[in-house]
């Protein structure tokens, strides 16, 4: 489980770095198709950046739990957390782009 914890931690660090970059205004990291109808690029960048940082939290939590236990709990935390973590992304996309796609 140590390898699983490390992979989750590194993935969450990558999401945090990308999230902070997008939050600071580098929305070029988001595919242009998803920005097609966005007029408030600053608000969109801040919302999507926060959403990616929120999405990284279940990975960190699952990795920590997996480091200390061999049960299925980390997997449950990961799946539930990721489902909940995608909600802010969907909300931001709907608000600023007028739809998910």
């Amino acid at each position: 489980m140590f390898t699983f914890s490390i992979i989750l931690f590194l993935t969450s660090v990558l999401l945090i770095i990308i999230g902070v970059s997008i939050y600071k205004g580098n929305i070029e990291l988001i595919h242009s198709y998803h920005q097609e109808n966005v007029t408030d690029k600053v608000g969109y960048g801040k919302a999507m950046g926060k959403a990616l940082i929120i999405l990284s939290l279940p990975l960190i939590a699952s990795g920590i739990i997996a480091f200390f236990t061999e049960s299925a709990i980390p997997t449950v935390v990961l799946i539930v957390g990721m489902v909940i973590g995608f909600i802010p992304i969907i909300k931001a996309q709907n608000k600023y782009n007028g739809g998910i796609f």
Side-chain angles (χ1 to χ4, degrees):
M1 283 302 191
F2 180 73
T3 306
F4 183 65
S5 295
I6 296 297
I7 290 170
L8 288 173
F9 177 74
L10 293 175
T11 305
S12 66
V13 168
L14 181 64
L15 277 176
I16 290 170
I17 291 170
I18 293 170
V20 168
S21 181
I22 291 171
Y23 183 84
K24 289 183 175 181
N26 187 11
I27 63 170
E28 290 80 32
L29 293 172
I30 303 171
H31 194 280
S32 61
Y33 176 77
H34 294 293
Q35 304 177 45
E36 201 167 281
N37 301 320
V38 175
T39 55
D40 181 8
K41 302 246 182 209
V42 173
Y44 180 68
K46 288 189 182 296
M48 291 299 279
K50 286 179 195 175
L52 283 176
I53 293 169
I54 290 169
L55 188 62
S56 72
L57 298 177
L59 279 83
I60 294 171
S62 182
I64 291 170
I65 294 168
F67 187 74
F68 293 108
T69 184
E70 293 283 329
S71 69
I73 295 172
T75 306
V76 173
V77 169
L78 182 64
I79 292 170
V80 171
M82 295 294 284
V83 169
I84 293 169
F86 274 107
I87 292 171
I89 292 174
I90 294 168
K91 284 185 174 184
Q93 195 65 25
N94 276 330
K95 179 178 180 180
Y96 290 99
N97 194 44
I100 296 175
F101 301 107

